[in-house]
Amino acid sequence: MELNRRTVIAGAAAAGMAATTLGGTAHATGGRKPLKTLFGKLADGTKVHRWSLENGGTRLKVLSWGGVVQSLEIPDRRGRYANVSAGFDNLEDYVAKTPYFGALIGRYGNRIGKGKFTLDGKNYQLSVNDGEQSLHGGAQGFDKRVWDVEPFVKGSDVGLHLYYTSVDGEMGYPGTLKTKVTYTLTRHGDWRIDYEATTDKATVVNLTSHVYWNLAGEGSGTIEDHELQIAASRYTPTDAGLIPTGELAKVAGTPFDFSRAKPIGRDIRTSHPQLVTAKGFDHNWVLDKGITARPEHVATLRDPASGRTLKIATNEPGLQFYSGNFLDGTLTGPSGRTYRQGDALCLETQHFPDSPNKPKFPSTVLRPGQTYRTTTIHSFGC
């Protein structure tokens, strides 16, 4: 029987287990002002800071470099905390090696085929950085920019406003895009992300977060025993370049059926052609709810051993599930352990990959006078 999260947090605090870098204990209602420390310097001398936040029993550390979630700690069913987000303990590895660990992704999350699209009769060539494709905004996407960060405490919430302006033509995208992303820790320990953007010229936008999750704890090994449920009856099959073919295929009767919770490892090594091509799961699920005015629950991830759970709610129409297929043992996390294939996974709320080239997919076009807004909420339990 799972314990109530508040009971677990209260027990941890009473035992002195909730002390943090903020100099206090976790509270079920209200957090302290985020703490800013120097994390490192770029080659040109630019300072990169780390912000530490805590609220409702969740501890979050965020870098101004790429808006990266460097650490996210939550308790297990016994009140023991662990960082459940893969990453590094130094700036140099984030700059030189990272496969988007914990990063804010833009201008366009996921892939655009051959880095090309046409908008209002004009052809655009984007930065190509994944074979023939443009991936996550190109070679110098939002994950490789220093964001301006403004901390806040509002009522019982605590968080950060992150700002970045992408100039017209950056990575080939049209329009100057002014972006604001808000990370909020609520009094219940939820981590909420609110994305906003405006442009002075018609463009395409698809922002997301690229946290690599392992609910057993960073560096603890495989996620194949994690149980995953996704509220989607269709997904978008891909070609050899992992670009959607345009088909919205049914998941029923295939390894892609997560409509009921099941262990990730149950079907991951089957001979389904889509799994062979991607070396595992690296696909967009078409959420049954579609685009909604408010965030709705779309996925649940659970680690049976620790009891930790993650529930995701969003107003986006898609969810990219990536099972860490290309982790190859060459990267080392803060635990001192290497990350190997399947040691972490991503659940990226989004519009569909290659939407600018797929007229039947929901549009990702943003025009002057419009405001791009999406929200994703991560709720943790044990």
Side-chain angles (χ1 to χ4, degrees):
M1 179 177 179
E2 292 189 3
L3 299 177
N4 179 278
R5 174 174 167 81
R6 294 185 184 181
T7 302
V8 170
I9 293 169
M17 298 171 63
T20 73
T21 56
L22 300 182
T25 55
H27 298 281
T29 56
R32 303 187 181 189
K33 185 177 180 180
L35 175 68
K36 176 183 177 182
T37 57
L38 181 66
F39 189 71
K41 294 182 180 180
L42 300 177
D44 64 0
T46 300
K47 293 180 179 179
V48 172
H49 293 97
R50 180 170 66 184
W51 296 84
S52 299
L53 305 78
E54 180 180 1
N55 205 8
T58 298
R59 308 167 183 171
L60 179 65
K61 294 180 180 178
V62 176
L63 305 183
S64 56
W65 172 259
V68 163
V69 172
Q70 194 251 339
S71 173
L72 194 152
E73 297 181 59
I74 55 174
D76 66 7
R77 62 165 63 92
R78 297 182 180 180
R80 298 174 298 189
Y81 276 79
N83 172 23
V84 296
S85 172
F88 299 116
D89 61 5
N90 65 89
L91 179 60
E92 291 74 20
D93 282 349
Y94 278 109
V95 173
K97 300 179 180 180
T98 183
Y100 305 99
F101 280 151
L104 277 177
I105 301 298
R107 286 189 191 191
Y108 199 96
N110 221 307
R111 296 172 175 86
I112 294 180
K114 301 188 185 302
K116 298 179 179 180
F117 69 93
T118 301
L119 179 59
D120 295 338
K122 185 173 181 179
N123 298 325
Y124 293 95
Q125 177 62 62
L126 307 175
S127 166
V128 173
N129 62 327
D130 182 44
E132 295 183 335
Q133 327 304 344
S134 182
L135 174 65
H136 294 331
Q140 297 292 321
F142 287 6
D143 61 295
K144 297 177 179 66
R145 308 291 180 175
V146 177
W147 291 64
D148 293 326
V149 182
E150 177 184 290
F152 69 87
V153 177
K154 184 177 181 181
S156 60
D157 293 340
V158 60
L160 305 171
H161 298 303
L162 299 99
Y163 302 91
Y164 178 69
T165 297
S166 176
V167 299
D168 184 20
E170 186 174 277
M171 296 296 103
Y173 287 90
T176 294
L177 190 78
K178 294 183 177 181
T179 307
K180 175 185 177 182
V181 179
T182 301
Y183 289 169
T184 303
L185 285 186
T186 73
R187 66 188 181 94
H188 299 301
D190 296 346
W191 173 42
R192 175 180 176 129
I193 311 176
D194 292 287
Y195 304 90
E196 297 180 29
T198 59
T199 184
D200 62 358
K201 186 185 297 185
T203 191
V204 294
V205 186
N206 189 28
L207 306 180
T208 192
S209 172
H210 209 287
V211 172
Y212 282 70
W213 302 101
N214 186 322
L215 297 184
E218 174 271 329
S220 64
T222 183
I223 48 81
E224 290 189 11
D225 55 352
H226 281 38
E227 297 170 352
L228 178 64
Q229 178 269 334
I230 304 174
S233 55
R234 295 175 296 169
Y235 77 106
T236 52
T238 68
D239 62 19
L242 300 182
I243 300 297
T245 62
E247 179 187 5
L248 304 182
K250 293 182 179 180
V251 301
T254 78
F256 294 85
D257 190 354
F258 286 90
S259 57
R260 294 185 178 182
K262 69 175 181 180
I264 290 168
R266 176 180 295 176
D267 300 320
I268 199 170
R269 301 190 188 282
T270 62
S271 60
H272 190 285
Q274 286 290 306
L275 291 177
V276 173
T277 297
K279 298 180 173 59
F281 296 105
D282 192 4
H283 297 77
N284 168 68
W285 269 253
V286 180
L287 299 174
D288 290 338
K289 71 174 188 61
I291 299 173
T292 49
R294 296 180 180 180
E296 296 184 11
H297 175 247
V298 297
T300 299
L301 181 69
R302 180 176 181 269
D303 171 40
S306 68
R308 294 187 184 95
T309 61
L310 164 63
K311 293 184 178 180
I312 295 178
T314 187
N315 52 10
E316 291 275 44
L319 180 76
Q320 183 83 8
F321 165 38
Y322 168 56
S323 54
N325 313 330
F326 299 104
L327 298 175
D328 61 4
T330 61
L331 305 176
T332 302
S335 62
R337 298 184 180 92
T338 59
Y339 298 131
R340 299 184 182 276
Q341 186 180 53
D343 280 355
L345 64 93
C346 300
L347 297 169
E348 305 156 64
T349 56
Q350 59 172 18
H351 269 57
F352 304 167
D354 204 37
S355 290
N357 296 311
K358 301 290 191 297
K360 293 184 179 180
F361 285 3
S363 175
T364 55
V365 174
L366 180 69
R367 298 186 181 279
Q370 298 176 336
T371 300
Y372 170 98
R373 288 191 178 94
T374 73
T375 297
T376 294
I377 302 171
H378 306 80
S379 300
F380 305 101
C382 52

